[in-house]
Amino acid sequence: MTAPTSRPFYLDCDTGIDDALALAYLLASPQADVRGIGTVSGNVSAAVGARNTLDLLQLAGHAHIPVALGAHDPLGGSFRGGAPHVHGANGIGEVSLEAASVELASETAAEMLVRLANEHPGTLRVLAIGPLTNIAEALRLEPELPRLVEEITIMGGAALAPGNITAVAEANIANDPEAAADVFAADWNVTLVPLDVTMSNVLEESHRQELLASSGPVPRALGEMLGYYFGFYEGIFGRACSAMHDPLAAALAVGGVRAAVAPLVRVDVDTTFGPGRGQTVCDLRGLYLDYPEQPGARCRVVLSLEDDFAPHLVETLLTFSSESTTAGTIVGAAVV
Ligand code: BDR
Ligand code: CA
C-alpha cells in the first residue's frame, strides 16, 4: 500500500476547544503537512488563540511550526469578547498547558498565508476554522491568491439548519460577515462545512473517556478540554456530548472522511444589518428542482457524510502516543 500524499496546509483558527481538536487531527494526519498557522479573534482574542496554539504545538512536539498573529478586530467593527461560556475563559476549557518558549512569527497571519501560497503555487490548501478576517486581508494583499491556493475548506455557516448566533447566522460568519462575503465572492474552490453537518455528528462521553485513558499528553489534554465543551453542549443535546465543528472540517480537508451529499452551489453572505446579517445564502434549489447551472457555483456545501466521524477522529487522535510527545506537559485541569 502506498503512503498518502502529504499536502502543504495553512491553518487559520481561533483556538478554541474544537480548534484544538482540529489542530491535533491535522498534526496526526499523514496527508497534511502544516506549514504555518494564523490566528484570528473569535472564540478568544487572536493573541490568546496564538498562545493556545503555541502551547498545543509544544505539547504535540511540533513547536517548529510557525504561528502568526492575525486580526484582532473584524473588518467592520470591534472584537466582542469571544465565547467563554463555550470554550472557557482561556479558550481551552480552563486546562493549563505548559507555556511554550517559542515566539510568534514576525509576519501577520495574512502575510504568512500569502507567502505560503507563493511558495507552494497551486498546491497549498487552506483550512479556515475561525472568522474569515485574515483570509479576506490576504485576498487584498495578493489578488492572485485564489489561483495560487488549491482549495480552501471553511467551517462556518448554515445551509438548511438554523444558525447558532442568530436565527440564521453561525458564529464564524457572524463574527465578520464582510470578510466572509469577500471570501465567498473570490474565484476559488471552496468547501463549506456548515452547522448542518457539524451539529449532526457528535462526540460522546465514551469517546472522551478513550482520550482520557491514553498514555499521551495530547489526547489527555483534549479529553480534559472536552469536559468543559460537553458542559455547554449538554444544554443543547440533553446529554454529555458535543458537536464536532472544526475537526470535521479538518478531516474533510485532508480526505480522512468523505462527504455523501455535497452539492456545488453559489453561496452569498448577507452583510445587511437586518435579521439576515451573517447568513450564508446557499442556493440549494437543485435539491428538488432540475435546476440549471448557477453562475458563480463554486462552493461545495457539505450536508452529510458517508461514515460516522467520531470513531475516525478518536482513532486518529490516539496516534499521539507518550513517546511522540515529550516536549510539553499539562500543568493543570480545572475541569476533568
Ligand atoms: C464555530 O465557532 C467557534 O466557536 C468554533 O470553534 C467553530 O469554529 C462553530 O460555530
Ligand atoms: Ca473555531
Side-chain angles (χ1 to χ4, degrees):
M1 206 169 81
T2 51
T5 311
S6 180
R7 304 276 183 173
F9 264 85
Y10 165 81
L11 172 66
D12 202 89
C13 52
D14 57 336
T15 321
I17 295 171
D18 60 328
D19 301 78
L21 288 165
L23 171 60
Y25 178 90
L26 276 192
L27 297 176
S29 299
Q31 304 97 314
D33 174 13
V34 183
R35 306 308 295 254
I37 302 173
T39 63
V40 62
S41 295
N43 295 321
V44 286
S45 70
V48 171
R51 290 310 326 165
N52 289 343
T53 306
L54 288 169
D55 297 349
L56 282 159
L57 286 172
Q58 177 164 290
L59 186 71
H62 287 270
H64 60 280
I65 297 174
V67 177
L69 185 62
H72 178 74
D73 292 318
L75 293 186
S78 303
F79 174 52
R80 291 197 296 262
H85 58 298
V86 185
H87 297 269
N90 73 350
I92 50 172
E94 310 304 351
V95 173
S96 304
L97 302 178
E98 186 179 300
S101 44
V102 179
E103 297 297 322
L104 285 168
S106 54
E107 58 196 347
T108 66
E111 288 167 349
M112 175 184 273
L113 169 52
V114 168
R115 176 177 61 75
L116 289 172
N118 279 294
E119 285 173 9
H120 305 278
T123 60
L124 185 72
R125 292 191 176 193
V126 175
L127 173 62
I129 54 177
L132 294 169
T133 322
N134 295 334
I135 313 298
E137 284 185 359
L139 283 167
R140 291 175 184 191
L141 284 178
E142 175 54 276
E144 289 298 305
L145 194 65
R147 190 181 56 77
L148 295 167
V149 165
E150 184 177 28
E151 185 180 37
I152 175 167
T153 302
I154 297 168
M155 189 283 128
L160 302 169
N164 60 2
I165 295 295
T166 71
V168 294
E170 177 279 336
N172 287 340
I173 308 299
N175 277 324
D176 197 344
E178 281 73 21
D182 288 355
V183 170
F184 284 98
D187 187 10
W188 49 6
N189 296 324
V190 184
T191 295
L192 182 65
V193 185
L195 293 177
D196 305 65
V197 69
T198 66
M199 288 296 290
S200 54
N201 281 276
V202 297
L203 201 65
E204 301 288 350
E205 179 61 20
S206 58
H207 300 123
R208 188 174 92 86
Q209 290 302 327
E210 284 186 65
L211 296 174
L212 288 172
S214 167
S215 60
V218 173
R220 280 209 315 278
L222 295 172
E224 283 162 2
M225 291 174 204
L226 281 167
Y228 197 100
Y229 207 47
F230 278 25
F232 170 75
Y233 277 102
E234 194 160 2
I236 295 168
F237 290 107
R239 65 181 192 282
C241 67
S242 76
M244 286 186 288
H245 309 295
D246 295 346
L248 179 50
L252 284 160
V254 305
V257 286
R258 281 200 300 268
V261 179
L264 188 69
V265 300
R266 181 188 173 100
V267 176
D268 290 288
V269 178
D270 189 322
T271 54
T272 64
F273 290 89
R277 182 168 172 77
Q279 180 175 15
T280 44
V281 182
C282 304
D283 192 344
L284 291 167
R285 282 173 281 181
L287 289 180
Y288 51 81
L289 285 178
D290 183 11
Y291 191 52
E293 199 164 297
Q294 306 164 19
R298 53 178 162 254
C299 183
R300 200 168 66 100
V301 179
V302 181
L303 296 175
S304 65
L305 301 181
E306 280 191 356
D307 296 303
D308 191 10
F309 175 50
H312 168 71
L313 174 63
V314 172
E315 186 187 353
T316 306
L317 296 175
L318 287 175
T319 61
F320 278 103
S321 67
S322 49
E323 299 87 64
S324 67
T325 53
T326 51
T329 51
I330 310 166
V331 175
V335 182
V336 184

